[in-house]
Amino acid sequence: MVKVGIIGSTGYVGAELIRLLLNHKKVELSAISSNSFEGQHIENIYGNLKKALSLKCTAAEEVVSSSDVIFTALPHGLSEEIAEKCFQENKVCIDLGADFRLQDENEYSKWYGKAFSKPHIHPLSVYGLPELNRNKIKSSHIIANPGCYPTSIELALMPALKEKFIDTDGIIIDSKSGTTGAGRGLSQTTHFPECNENILPYKINEHRHLPEIQQILSEMAGTCIKVTFVPHLLPVNRGILSTIYCSLNGAQHADKIYEIYKKYYEKESFVRVLNVGETASIRNVKYSNFCDISLHMQDESNRLIIVSAIDNMVKGAAGQAIQNMNIVLGFDEKDGLEFIPPAF
Amino acid sequence: MVKVGIIGSTGYVGAELIRLLLNHKKVELSAISSNSFEGQHIENIYGNLKKALSLKCTAAEEVVSSSDVIFTALPHGLSEEIAEKCFQENKVCIDLGADFRLQDENEYSKWYGKAFSKPHIHPLSVYGLPELNRNKIKSSHIIANPGCYPTSIELALMPALKEKFIDTDGIIIDSKSGTTGAGRGLSQTTHFPECNENILPYKINEHRHLPEIQQILSEMAGTCIKVTFVPHLLPVNRGILSTIYCSLNGAQHADKIYEIYKKYYEKESFVRVLNVGETASIRNVKYSNFCDISLHMQDESNRLIIVSAIDNMVKGAAGQAIQNMNIVLGFDEKDGLEFIPPAF
Amino acid sequence: MVKVGIIGSTGYVGAELIRLLLNHKKVELSAISSNSFEGQHIENIYGNLKKALSLKCTAAEEVVSSSDVIFTALPHGLSEEIAEKCFQENKVCIDLGADFRLQDENEYSKWYGKAFSKPHIHPLSVYGLPELNRNKIKSSHIIANPGCYPTSIELALMPALKEKFIDTDGIIIDSKSGTTGAGRGLSQTTHFPECNENILPYKINEHRHLPEIQQILSEMAGTCIKVTFVPHLLPVNRGILSTIYCSLNGAQHADKIYEIYKKYYEKESFVRVLNVGETASIRNVKYSNFCDISLHMQDESNRLIIVSAIDNMVKGAAGQAIQNMNIVLGFDEKDGLEFIPPAF
Amino acid sequence: MVKVGIIGSTGYVGAELIRLLLNHKKVELSAISSNSFEGQHIENIYGNLKKALSLKCTAAEEVVSSSDVIFTALPHGLSEEIAEKCFQENKVCIDLGADFRLQDENEYSKWYGKAFSKPHIHPLSVYGLPELNRNKIKSSHIIANPGCYPTSIELALMPALKEKFIDTDGIIIDSKSGTTGAGRGLSQTTHFPECNENILPYKINEHRHLPEIQQILSEMAGTCIKVTFVPHLLPVNRGILSTIYCSLNGAQHADKIYEIYKKYYEKESFVRVLNVGETASIRNVKYSNFCDISLHMQDESNRLIIVSAIDNMVKGAAGQAIQNMNIVLGFDEKDGLEFIPPAF
């Protein structure tokens, strides 16, 4: 049994990691830490875990020392030091925060207001989108788990950008996210009476996931890509739906595009390209590691609309982190992630 | 035009008072105050008020000095002094907090952890449930606006208790409330991802509305009544539904009971006794000042089940306060309150 | 008192018309009809109307004969005959269906599968968007009340198109609508367990509101406009939020654009252009006739993002119909529509 | 691998059975049937199943012939014949409908409007509440899977009734259920705009689960028990919360009662008795087979309040059916059911 630990286990991402790791037959949860709840039993913080786990929250150092794989689910700026330590001790660090997602330190400074604190270890890290970087992930010890919005967007656009049949200019991304994306912390926008019966666009063109999206799309396309990205807060618990608008490079047959997408993802366990006439929605992926993608074309124009849906807490966070762990450890990528999304 | 003001205008009750008072043709909103937002324009705090009201939040004293009727919507313990001042200046104070609801100071101390600060003015106040105390309200200058749960429960039980056909022992009240009842303040229980897709019983037999309920039911029955009261937090914005279980004093015809209820409330503008076969629900009263009541009997037992529904922010708070204001000022009780509940 | 009637009063639009018309001091609801519920009391179909209205549903002809203004809220193809009759009898017909929205009969046939049945009366009708056609509405007897999506989109784009500072090519509209837009009829997509906790894009580039949107935007711009339009079904009862992406014709100062929008709508009672830094959302307009519009620019690009929000049942249907009635009858445009949106 | 099949696989209970059985390592889904969708692929009906299952819906007979264990999820009156056939062929039938729940044929006729069609096989069936009838279930071939409301209520009251410390008279049960309990069929009460933002009491003292509840509680107590039972429809997808009011037989220490409950269920895998001060809620059990029970006493009275929570589709239907299958087949009772409820 591989020993795994979570640093920052009482936030929402940490709680979801616990749930999923307890379903994984080849790993054992050895230690969990929490700044806010150190010394407390996790089942007293998350009542859903009663009879399932009674670990006490400990300190971050203990998690590192007692685990082979360490998941960090922390506010930005706190994972670099832990990652360095893991690297020195030949352990694997999978970071679910933002510290290793951006390669360009200037870009990081601009969006996060601080420099890298351990710049020398950044080149050792890999961006953990398995469908893009599977081989690099296998041999890496520091994995930057992608953001939730970026996951939904990058998977949706990868075949089109790699196969170069869309215009890399003018891509517009209208994303809608459930409220768990905002985490456990309280705010007026996630206060029930203000969030319920509403939909709220926010951080229009100012969301910190924007540079990550642009970095990865640019890498996929082999050219610099700037996008328009508008996230919206939805009155649901889970899920991200991204509606993506782009232009085809000249006339294309719908059949051809479907074929490319289907082929591109045919060996992927967690990406489902829907059939003509079907539309991706949160409902069919929630509580699962699936990303559903549907394609929509207008007859009269060269517009391609791509809709993608993921569960922001699973494929958008904890599930993808476990998928990365499976790759690093040489397990079957589906281990611990084979649960079917419920129909309702 | 009568001048009215609100002290504590930026909490949810205050915001609802503003909305309703702006629809009232015979009063003018002269001043509003807020501790948290003093000096700010109300439309910048509540975007719904744009183009409707651009008052600045001022201090409590200014509200008193510039208004004839003062609504206080404050945490407990802060209204007594204001009410005293209103009384001295021959103004009307309608308190939407808890300071004047309990007559017995010991009971108040027990539940609120402090004594009355102005005990001499308490005998001057009246409990502002119009259907019970209309005549006393007319000549009072300090009105204790009832709590939301108590309103739904007292209206449901009044005919049965006054006409003495139910057992005053063993009454069980299972209430369900929308989240606006918890106010604007943030908490983990009203954080969207934890409140949504849930129902949470809370403060079982420990809710501060319990002594108020027992005081008024006892007054109605002319004998001391103790009840079992379990509130539940519902994942909806508005409304309270109370399902009340009691025992009939001996066999009674359902027809007779309906007749008593219908007759009891036939002249009331805001109480609707439903017909046989109909069931009260939040949907039909929300955003209105109505209280719907339905009656349900079991053939084989002497059990009577009463279901009542109100909008907690209207009949349970701001609407009833305006109804009380109308009574005090000699207006038609329906003035400013005639809006129809939307069907959806 | 002007006599008004509703044909098709038991659908959702009809029910909302009843609610609003009962709040209007200068009109009297004389008759309502319903195919499904003829002969039944409306309060037995819509429990919210108890104590407010006890009219019986009658036949369409009776509504016409007993009213001066007739609202038709019917499936497409059923209003033309009624409108003709109204016209002959010198009455006003305000159609909340689709029969008079499209000027081009070919376009109508293409989207609705039938020809006009009374082509000669179509030239007599006017498209009832008051902010666009106020003067024509004043003297018209057949008013085509705009669709809900089109209202939210046309008001958002009108200043930009009239003042010609955006590119008329490549406009992308991502709209999100509450479930009441689908009406009272049952369907799997509005079945609670399938709609809740989801967001569903539907009729991508195939929605019947598309030709209406294109017709009016083209008229505003003075040139043919084709747009991309993707509606989404939201798990809320009310409201439409449209996020609209367009390109500026060359560099423009944000201040300038705000100034144009503010100026354009400064005399309009129901359009609120928000300030820099504010974002439109359903929450602030629901249950009201307001349309909120916010503007968002990217520094580095020439992209303009416009967000607009309306209540689909009020400004998007019944409220706008009453606004049209007020114009035709020479009333103040705000009569019966001055209610403030609730904060929650 | 044991072969299992589902008759009535496209209703909500069937869909949930599929999801759970696909997670079970010791069984194989051999065939599924559906009247409405015979001949269609299940993944085209339930998009969540894409990449997980592509069985075609077949006829009921084929399911019986190709399976060792047959789950029937059918409207009442349709399972008896199938159960008889299973019995004759020495197969196991687990019925998730109502056909075998009531022992008394008169009672069945009264509530379901028809007699037993195969009365001779009823004595061979067992009521499949594992915590009550584990030993009988082991050797039975016809298992009546309990109703959802009854499961939540019977588990809550079993220790109190078996240990005889509550009054068997006057028990009041106020239950609240998510909308999936009403199934896939459309109705006005589960139409999103009418169900959302509401709570609706329904079938007050007339719900078909009432005789089942009374039968089992009576059996537990060894005396005839009549209860008051009011179900409410909640605007959530999943879960049942039952708030149960009963009277203690004389004074009892809270500690003692907790001890009895904890002890009673200490060996049960799926029942969690919460600690003093904790309250059961849907949130902590949803998507799991757990039943949470919390106990609440009033100091001054002899009232005991029991709150229980289950997921109506899991412990209240498909999960419990699989638990029964595990018992019959001699598997570990937790096989395929060990998933942890998500925190949100």
Side-chain angles (χ1 to χ4, degrees):
Chain A
M1 288 289 251
V2 176
K3 292 185 169 184
V4 302
I6 303 168
I7 296 177
S9 66
T10 55
Y12 278 1
V13 169
E16 186 73 350
L17 273 167
I18 292 175
R19 178 175 82 92
L20 297 180
L21 288 168
L22 289 174
N23 277 321
H24 198 296
K25 303 299 178 205
K26 297 185 181 159
V27 304
E28 178 191 2
L29 199 47
S30 54
I32 58 179
S33 79
S34 165
N35 266 344
S36 329
F37 297 96
E38 194 175 330
Q40 293 190 37
H41 275 99
I42 188 71
E43 68 175 43
N44 292 335
I45 305 159
Y46 282 101
N48 60 306
L49 296 177
K50 236 171 232 291
K51 271 206 177 177
L53 181 68
S54 64
L55 275 181
K56 247 190 209 171
C57 292
T58 179
E61 304 78 56
E62 269 189 66
V63 175
V64 175
S65 68
S66 63
S67 311
D68 306 311
V69 176
I70 291 93
F71 295 94
T72 45
L74 297 167
H76 72 271
L78 302 177
S79 298
E80 288 174 275
E81 198 177 331
I82 295 165
E84 186 187 42
K85 200 157 178 228
C86 290
F87 184 75
Q88 287 164 347
E89 302 188 9
N90 203 26
K91 298 180 170 193
V92 175
C93 176
I94 300 177
D95 181 34
L96 291 97
D99 287 11
F100 295 96
R101 290 178 188 158
L102 299 184
Q103 284 158 12
D104 179 344
E105 189 169 355
N106 290 331
E107 195 78 350
Y108 181 80
S109 299
K110 180 182 151 195
W111 288 89
Y112 290 92
K114 62 182 288 295
F116 287 162
S117 64
K118 308 278 176 185
H120 59 286
I121 60 166
H122 282 259
L124 306 170
S125 72
V126 65
Y127 187 76
L129 187 70
E131 293 78 6
L132 175 67
N133 285 334
R134 183 169 286 113
N135 281 329
K136 290 187 202 156
I137 293 165
K138 278 179 191 166
S139 56
S140 177
H141 280 235
I142 304 176
I143 297 166
N145 209 58
C148 50
Y149 285 119
T151 297
S152 78
I153 293 160
E154 292 155 16
L155 291 175
L157 284 166
M158 182 154 55
L161 291 174
K162 292 257 186 184
E163 303 296 326
K164 298 188 187 302
F165 58 77
I166 60 167
D167 190 343
T168 55
D169 271 352
I171 296 172
I172 287 171
I173 302 159
D174 189 291
S175 292
K176 300 91 177 168
S177 171
T179 56
T180 48
R184 193 175 188 270
L186 307 179
S187 72
Q188 217 69 40
T189 50
T190 53
H191 187 43
F192 190 91
E194 310 201 7
C195 177
N196 186 37
E197 295 295 287
N198 196 19
I199 179 170
L200 183 70
Y202 69 105
K203 294 187 190 162
I204 296 180
N205 278 310
E206 291 177 3
H207 196 286
R208 281 172 171 171
H209 285 173
L210 179 58
E212 178 184 346
I213 294 164
Q214 293 183 152
Q215 169 186 293
I216 303 300
L217 297 188
S218 297
E219 187 189 320
M220 289 170 173
T223 181
C224 176
I225 291 189
K226 298 283 177 197
V227 302
T228 297
F229 170 53
V230 181
H232 299 71
L233 184 67
L234 269 189
V236 307
N237 280 8
R238 285 172 175 253
I240 286 178
L241 187 98
S242 291
T243 313
I244 303 173
Y245 303 86
C246 48
S247 300
L248 295 169
N249 283 331
Q252 312 265 349
H253 261 288
D255 292 356
K256 185 73 190 307
I257 292 178
Y258 268 97
E259 202 184 295
I260 292 171
Y261 265 76
K262 294 249 180 192
K263 180 142 195 171
Y264 199 90
Y265 285 128
E266 73 185 341
K267 290 184 188 152
E268 290 296 340
S269 303
F270 297 117
V271 181
R272 305 190 293 195
V273 178
L274 305 192
N275 297 321
V276 182
E278 295 178 335
T279 305
S281 73
I282 286 174
R283 187 188 158 215
N284 282 334
V285 298
K286 67 182 177 188
Y287 296 102
S288 85
N289 203 46
F290 286 122
C291 173
D292 276 6
I293 297 172
S294 66
L295 304 167
H296 310 272
M297 298 178 70
Q298 267 175 296
D299 288 341
E300 307 157 30
S301 81
N302 68 339
R303 183 78 73 202
L304 171 67
I305 300 166
I306 310 172
V307 180
S308 75
I310 59 168
D311 184 314
N312 60 310
M313 299 305 293
V314 188
K315 184 63 178 168
Q320 185 148 267
I322 291 171
Q323 192 180 353
N324 279 314
M325 178 193 76
N326 287 338
I327 293 171
V328 166
L329 297 178
F331 295 163
D332 184 323
E333 213 162 309
K334 298 197 296 295
D335 280 348
L337 297 171
E338 284 187 278
F339 35 82
I340 315 296
F344 32 75
Chain B
M1 289 290 250
V2 176
K3 291 185 169 182
V4 303
I6 303 169
I7 296 176
S9 66
T10 55
Y12 278 1
V13 169
E16 185 74 351
L17 274 167
I18 292 174
R19 178 176 80 93
L20 297 179
L21 288 167
L22 289 174
N23 277 321
H24 198 296
K25 303 298 178 206
K26 297 185 181 159
V27 304
E28 178 191 3
L29 199 47
S30 54
I32 58 178
S33 79
S34 165
N35 266 345
S36 329
F37 298 97
E38 196 175 329
Q40 293 189 36
H41 275 100
I42 188 71
E43 68 175 43
N44 292 335
I45 305 159
Y46 282 100
N48 60 305
L49 296 177
K50 235 170 233 291
K51 270 208 177 176
L53 181 69
S54 64
L55 274 181
K56 247 190 209 171
C57 293
T58 179
E61 305 78 56
E62 269 191 67
V63 175
V64 175
S65 68
S66 63
S67 311
D68 306 311
V69 176
I70 290 92
F71 295 93
T72 45
L74 297 167
H76 73 270
L78 302 177
S79 297
E80 289 175 274
E81 197 176 332
I82 295 165
E84 187 187 39
K85 198 153 181 231
C86 291
F87 184 74
Q88 287 164 348
E89 302 188 8
N90 203 26
K91 298 180 169 192
V92 175
C93 176
I94 301 176
D95 181 35
L96 291 98
D99 287 11
F100 295 95
R101 290 178 188 158
L102 299 184
Q103 284 158 14
D104 180 344
E105 189 170 353
N106 290 332
E107 195 77 350
Y108 182 80
S109 299
K110 181 182 149 195
W111 288 88
Y112 291 91
K114 63 181 289 292
F116 288 163
S117 64
K118 307 278 176 183
H120 58 286
I121 60 166
H122 281 257
L124 306 170
S125 73
V126 64
Y127 186 77
L129 187 70
E131 293 78 6
L132 174 67
N133 284 334
R134 184 169 285 112
N135 281 329
K136 290 187 202 157
I137 293 164
K138 279 179 189 164
S139 55
S140 177
H141 280 235
I142 304 177
I143 297 167
N145 209 58
C148 50
Y149 285 120
T151 297
S152 78
I153 294 160
E154 292 155 16
L155 291 174
L157 284 166
M158 183 153 56
L161 291 174
K162 292 258 185 182
E163 304 295 326
K164 297 187 187 303
F165 59 77
I166 59 167
D167 190 344
T168 55
D169 272 352
I171 296 172
I172 287 171
I173 303 159
D174 190 293
S175 292
K176 299 91 178 168
S177 172
T179 56
T180 48
R184 192 175 190 272
L186 307 179
S187 72
Q188 216 69 39
T189 51
T190 53
H191 187 42
F192 190 89
E194 310 200 7
C195 177
N196 186 37
E197 295 296 287
N198 195 20
I199 179 170
L200 183 70
Y202 69 105
K203 293 187 189 162
I204 296 180
N205 277 310
E206 291 176 4
H207 196 286
R208 280 172 171 170
H209 284 173
L210 179 59
E212 179 184 345
I213 293 163
Q214 294 184 150
Q215 169 186 293
I216 303 301
L217 297 188
S218 298
E219 187 188 320
M220 288 170 172
T223 182
C224 176
I225 291 188
K226 298 283 178 197
V227 302
T228 296
F229 170 53
V230 181
H232 298 70
L233 184 67
L234 270 188
V236 307
N237 280 8
R238 285 171 173 253
I240 286 178
L241 187 97
S242 291
T243 313
I244 303 173
Y245 302 86
C246 47
S247 299
L248 295 169
N249 284 330
Q252 312 265 350
H253 262 287
D255 292 357
K256 186 71 189 308
I257 292 177
Y258 267 97
E259 201 184 296
I260 292 171
Y261 264 76
K262 293 249 180 193
K263 180 141 195 172
Y264 199 90
Y265 284 126
E266 73 184 343
K267 290 184 188 152
E268 290 297 340
S269 303
F270 296 117
V271 181
R272 305 190 293 195
V273 178
L274 304 192
N275 297 322
V276 182
E278 295 178 336
T279 305
S281 73
I282 286 174
R283 185 186 159 217
N284 283 334
V285 299
K286 69 183 176 187
Y287 295 101
S288 85
N289 203 46
F290 286 121
C291 173
D292 277 5
I293 297 173
S294 66
L295 304 167
H296 311 270
M297 298 177 70
Q298 268 175 295
D299 288 341
E300 307 156 29
S301 81
N302 68 339
R303 184 76 73 201
L304 172 67
I305 299 166
I306 310 172
V307 180
S308 75
I310 60 167
D311 183 314
N312 60 310
M313 299 306 293
V314 187
K315 185 63 178 169
Q320 185 148 267
I322 291 171
Q323 192 180 353
N324 279 315
M325 178 193 74
N326 287 338
I327 293 172
V328 165
L329 298 178
F331 294 163
D332 184 324
E333 213 162 308
K334 298 197 296 296
D335 279 350
L337 297 172
E338 285 186 278
F339 35 82
I340 314 298
F344 32 75
Chain C
M1 289 291 252
V2 175
K3 292 184 169 183
V4 302
I6 304 168
I7 295 176
S9 66
T10 56
Y12 278 0
V13 169
E16 186 73 349
L17 274 167
I18 292 175
R19 177 175 82 92
L20 298 180
L21 288 168
L22 289 174
N23 277 321
H24 198 295
K25 304 300 177 203
K26 297 186 180 159
V27 304
E28 178 191 3
L29 199 48
S30 55
I32 58 179
S33 79
S34 165
N35 266 344
S36 328
F37 297 98
E38 195 175 330
Q40 294 189 36
H41 277 99
I42 188 72
E43 66 174 44
N44 293 334
I45 305 159
Y46 283 100
N48 60 307
L49 295 177
K50 234 170 232 292
K51 270 208 175 175
L53 181 69
S54 64
L55 276 181
K56 247 190 210 171
C57 292
T58 180
E61 304 79 56
E62 269 191 66
V63 175
V64 175
S65 68
S66 63
S67 311
D68 307 309
V69 176
I70 291 92
F71 296 94
T72 45
L74 297 167
H76 72 271
L78 302 177
S79 298
E80 289 175 274
E81 195 175 334
I82 295 165
E84 185 185 41
K85 201 157 178 228
C86 290
F87 184 76
Q88 289 163 347
E89 302 188 8
N90 202 26
K91 298 179 169 192
V92 175
C93 176
I94 301 177
D95 181 34
L96 291 97
D99 287 11
F100 295 97
R101 291 178 187 158
L102 298 184
Q103 284 158 11
D104 179 343
E105 188 169 356
N106 290 332
E107 195 77 349
Y108 182 80
S109 299
K110 180 181 151 196
W111 288 89
Y112 291 92
K114 63 182 288 295
F116 289 162
S117 64
K118 306 280 177 183
H120 59 287
I121 59 166
H122 282 258
L124 306 170
S125 72
V126 64
Y127 186 76
L129 188 69
E131 293 79 5
L132 175 67
N133 285 335
R134 185 169 285 114
N135 281 329
K136 289 186 202 157
I137 294 164
K138 279 179 189 164
S139 55
S140 178
H141 280 234
I142 302 177
I143 298 167
N145 210 57
C148 49
Y149 285 119
T151 297
S152 77
I153 293 159
E154 291 155 16
L155 291 176
L157 284 166
M158 182 153 56
L161 292 174
K162 291 257 185 182
E163 304 296 326
K164 297 186 189 301
F165 59 78
I166 59 167
D167 190 345
T168 55
D169 270 354
I171 296 173
I172 287 171
I173 302 160
D174 189 292
S175 292
K176 298 91 177 168
S177 172
T179 56
T180 48
R184 190 174 191 272
L186 306 180
S187 72
Q188 217 67 40
T189 50
T190 54
H191 188 41
F192 190 90
E194 310 201 7
C195 178
N196 187 37
E197 295 296 288
N198 196 18
I199 179 170
L200 183 70
Y202 68 105
K203 293 186 189 161
I204 295 180
N205 278 311
E206 291 176 4
H207 196 286
R208 281 171 170 171
H209 284 173
L210 179 59
E212 179 184 346
I213 294 164
Q214 294 183 153
Q215 169 186 295
I216 302 300
L217 297 187
S218 298
E219 187 188 321
M220 289 171 173
T223 181
C224 176
I225 291 189
K226 297 283 179 197
V227 302
T228 296
F229 170 52
V230 180
H232 299 70
L233 185 66
L234 270 188
V236 306
N237 279 10
R238 284 171 175 253
I240 285 178
L241 186 97
S242 291
T243 312
I244 303 173
Y245 302 86
C246 48
S247 300
L248 295 169
N249 283 332
Q252 312 265 349
H253 264 287
D255 292 356
K256 186 73 191 308
I257 292 177
Y258 267 97
E259 201 184 295
I260 293 171
Y261 265 76
K262 292 251 179 191
K263 180 143 194 166
Y264 199 90
Y265 285 128
E266 72 186 343
K267 290 184 187 152
E268 289 298 340
S269 303
F270 296 117
V271 180
R272 304 189 294 195
V273 178
L274 304 192
N275 297 321
V276 182
E278 295 178 336
T279 305
S281 74
I282 287 174
R283 186 187 159 217
N284 283 335
V285 299
K286 69 182 176 189
Y287 295 104
S288 85
N289 203 47
F290 286 121
C291 174
D292 277 6
I293 296 173
S294 65
L295 304 167
H296 311 270
M297 297 178 69
Q298 269 174 294
D299 288 340
E300 308 156 30
S301 80
N302 68 339
R303 183 77 72 202
L304 171 67
I305 300 166
I306 310 172
V307 180
S308 75
I310 60 168
D311 183 314
N312 61 310
M313 299 305 292
V314 188
K315 184 64 180 169
Q320 185 148 267
I322 291 171
Q323 191 181 354
N324 279 315
M325 177 193 77
N326 286 339
I327 294 171
V328 165
L329 297 178
F331 295 163
D332 183 325
E333 213 162 307
K334 297 196 298 294
D335 280 349
L337 296 172
E338 285 187 277
F339 34 82
I340 315 297
F344 33 76
Chain D
M1 288 292 251
V2 176
K3 292 186 168 183
V4 303
I6 303 169
I7 296 176
S9 66
T10 55
Y12 278 0
V13 169
E16 185 73 351
L17 274 166
I18 291 175
R19 177 175 81 92
L20 297 180
L21 288 167
L22 289 174
N23 277 321
H24 198 296
K25 304 298 178 204
K26 298 186 181 159
V27 304
E28 178 191 4
L29 199 48
S30 55
I32 59 178
S33 80
S34 165
N35 265 344
S36 328
F37 298 97
E38 196 175 329
Q40 293 189 37
H41 276 99
I42 188 71
E43 67 174 44
N44 293 335
I45 305 159
Y46 283 100
N48 59 306
L49 295 177
K50 233 168 234 290
K51 271 207 176 177
L53 181 70
S54 64
L55 275 181
K56 247 190 208 172
C57 293
T58 179
E61 304 78 56
E62 269 191 67
V63 175
V64 175
S65 68
S66 63
S67 311
D68 308 308
V69 177
I70 291 91
F71 296 94
T72 45
L74 297 167
H76 73 270
L78 301 177
S79 298
E80 289 174 274
E81 197 176 332
I82 294 164
E84 186 187 40
K85 200 156 179 229
C86 290
F87 184 76
Q88 289 163 348
E89 302 188 10
N90 202 26
K91 298 180 169 193
V92 175
C93 175
I94 300 177
D95 180 34
L96 291 98
D99 287 12
F100 294 96
R101 291 178 188 158
L102 299 183
Q103 283 158 14
D104 180 344
E105 188 168 355
N106 290 331
E107 195 77 349
Y108 181 81
S109 300
K110 181 182 150 197
W111 287 89
Y112 291 91
K114 62 181 289 293
F116 288 161
S117 65
K118 307 278 178 185
H120 59 286
I121 59 166
H122 282 257
L124 305 170
S125 72
V126 63
Y127 186 76
L129 188 69
E131 294 78 6
L132 174 68
N133 285 334
R134 184 169 286 114
N135 281 329
K136 289 187 202 157
I137 293 164
K138 280 179 189 165
S139 56
S140 177
H141 280 234
I142 303 176
I143 297 167
N145 209 57
C148 50
Y149 285 120
T151 297
S152 77
I153 293 160
E154 292 156 16
L155 290 175
L157 284 165
M158 183 154 56
L161 292 173
K162 291 258 184 180
E163 304 296 326
K164 297 187 188 303
F165 60 77
I166 59 167
D167 190 345
T168 55
D169 271 354
I171 296 172
I172 287 170
I173 302 160
D174 190 291
S175 291
K176 299 91 177 166
S177 172
T179 56
T180 48
R184 192 176 190 271
L186 306 180
S187 72
Q188 217 67 40
T189 51
T190 52
H191 188 41
F192 191 90
E194 310 202 5
C195 178
N196 186 36
E197 295 296 288
N198 196 19
I199 178 170
L200 183 69
Y202 69 105
K203 293 187 189 160
I204 295 179
N205 279 309
E206 290 176 4
H207 195 285
R208 280 173 170 169
H209 284 173
L210 179 59
E212 179 185 345
I213 294 164
Q214 294 184 152
Q215 169 186 292
I216 303 300
L217 297 187
S218 298
E219 187 189 319
M220 289 171 174
T223 181
C224 176
I225 291 188
K226 297 284 179 197
V227 302
T228 296
F229 171 52
V230 180
H232 299 70
L233 184 66
L234 270 188
V236 306
N237 279 9
R238 284 171 174 252
I240 285 178
L241 186 98
S242 290
T243 312
I244 304 174
Y245 303 87
C246 49
S247 300
L248 295 169
N249 284 331
Q252 312 265 351
H253 262 287
D255 292 355
K256 186 74 191 306
I257 292 177
Y258 267 97
E259 201 185 294
I260 293 171
Y261 265 77
K262 292 251 179 190
K263 180 143 195 168
Y264 200 90
Y265 284 126
E266 71 185 343
K267 289 183 189 154
E268 289 296 341
S269 303
F270 296 118
V271 181
R272 304 189 293 195
V273 178
L274 304 192
N275 297 321
V276 181
E278 295 178 336
T279 305
S281 73
I282 286 173
R283 186 187 158 216
N284 283 334
V285 299
K286 67 183 177 187
Y287 296 102
S288 86
N289 203 46
F290 286 121
C291 174
D292 277 5
I293 296 174
S294 65
L295 304 167
H296 310 270
M297 299 178 69
Q298 269 174 295
D299 289 341
E300 309 156 28
S301 81
N302 69 339
R303 183 78 72 201
L304 172 66
I305 300 166
I306 310 172
V307 179
S308 74
I310 60 167
D311 184 313
N312 60 310
M313 299 306 292
V314 188
K315 184 63 179 169
Q320 185 149 264
I322 290 171
Q323 192 181 354
N324 278 315
M325 178 193 76
N326 286 339
I327 294 171
V328 165
L329 297 178
F331 295 163
D332 184 325
E333 213 162 309
K334 298 196 296 295
D335 280 349
L337 297 172
E338 286 187 276
F339 34 82
I340 315 297
F344 32 76

